[in-house]
Amino acid sequence: MSETLSDTFSRLAGLDREVFAIAWLSLRVSLSAVLIGCAVGIPLGALVAVLRFPGRQGIIGLLNASMGLPPVIVGLVIYLLLSRSGPFGPFGLLFTPAAMVAAQSVLVTPLIAALTRQIVADAEAHLGEQLRSLRLPAWRRAGILIFDVRFSLSTAVLAAFGRAISEIGAVLVVGGNIDGFTRTMTTAISLETQKGDLALALALGLVLIALVVAVNAAASLLRAYAARAYG
């Protein structure tokens, strides 16, 4: 154990190229997926919170249920879509970082949309009547409410980032865990543990924890600043 720990910290202290290449790929893929999820999920969740239409409760239930999508099933569906016989096969995206981004985007978008809907719905309960009295269209009301709760939405973004960066099933299916190309921290930890290279697995695990802690700390500082600046 002491030898493993010594090797682990030597890798980290020496800025081991393999460790940080894997970490950088994981961060790039997860952040890309979260950005796509925010671009789709935040407007979608806000509109569902603001609009009143037949079947709205069913949509809300579907969004909430989609928060628990099994990653392996999502990976399988994306695999079928991107395989040679699938509709997107000619683009050659399977076993590439783009396929991993697509899989993670499918996982985090419902999560962001569902959390956004709840946050915006709470704000709409206080401001909705006033906004409706101005006869603003739904998309304008949704935009105003999104801006009003922009700091609270960091919770949704953090939850999405946490799910993306720690996900293994979907990225393994569509990425293939190719060394130097599609190997992320989670897939590498699993592989290196099975191979017995515990030092590398532990080093990657520590980097993963550090990234999650750093992102959460940044979000906490942002919320604290917002509380001081805007009350």
Side-chain angles (χ1 to χ4, degrees), residues 10-190:
S10 294
R11 285 176 178 269
L12 294 175
L15 301 178
D16 185 88
R17 180 176 299 180
E18 183 179 11
V19 171
F20 286 95
I22 293 171
W24 171 240
L25 175 64
S26 297
L27 190 60
R28 193 170 76 242
V29 167
S30 297
L31 287 177
S32 298
V34 171
L35 286 174
I36 294 171
C38 288
V40 176
I42 290 177
L44 175 61
L47 285 173
V48 172
V50 168
L51 291 173
R52 298 294 181 269
F53 54 89
R56 178 173 177 270
Q57 289 303 318
I59 296 296
I60 293 174
L62 182 62
L63 284 177
N64 290 335
S66 298
M67 293 171 65
L69 281 173
V72 175
I73 301 303
V74 171
L76 177 59
V77 172
I78 300 296
Y79 180 93
L80 293 174
L81 291 174
L82 300 181
S83 64
R84 289 187 177 181
S85 58
F88 301 105
F91 294 103
L93 296 176
L94 192 62
F95 304 133
T96 67
M100 297 156 64
V101 171
Q104 288 194 359
S105 298
V106 172
L107 286 170
V108 303
T109 298
L111 176 62
I112 293 172
L115 294 176
T116 297
R117 187 211 66 81
Q118 185 59 60
I119 293 169
V120 172
D122 292 341
E124 204 266 346
H126 298 287
L127 300 174
E129 184 174 351
Q130 181 180 354
L131 293 175
R132 285 190 293 272
S133 70
L134 298 174
R135 300 193 178 186
L136 297 174
W139 66 270
R140 286 282 304 279
R141 301 201 309 271
I144 291 171
L145 290 171
I146 287 173
F147 182 79
D148 186 62
V149 299
R150 61 193 182 282
F151 294 110
S152 297
L153 289 176
S154 62
T155 302
V157 177
L158 280 176
F161 177 76
R163 181 166 198 194
I165 197 73
S166 61
E167 199 281 318
I168 183 173
V171 295
L172 185 59
V173 172
V174 302
N177 198 22
I178 302 171
D179 188 18
F181 188 54
T182 60
R183 184 163 295 172
T184 64
M185 285 187 286
T186 51
T187 57
I189 289 170
S190 176

Side-chain angles (χ1 to χ4, degrees), residues 8 40 43 61 102 193 196 202 230:
T8 297
V40 176
T193 300
L202 186 56
Y230 301 99

Side-chain angles (χ1 to χ4, degrees), residues 206-230:
L206 291 174
V207 172
L208 178 58
I209 293 171
L211 283 173
V212 173
V213 170
V215 170
N216 278 272
S220 297
L221 291 173
L222 178 63
R223 285 196 296 268
Y225 167 76
R228 291 194 305 270
Y230 301 99

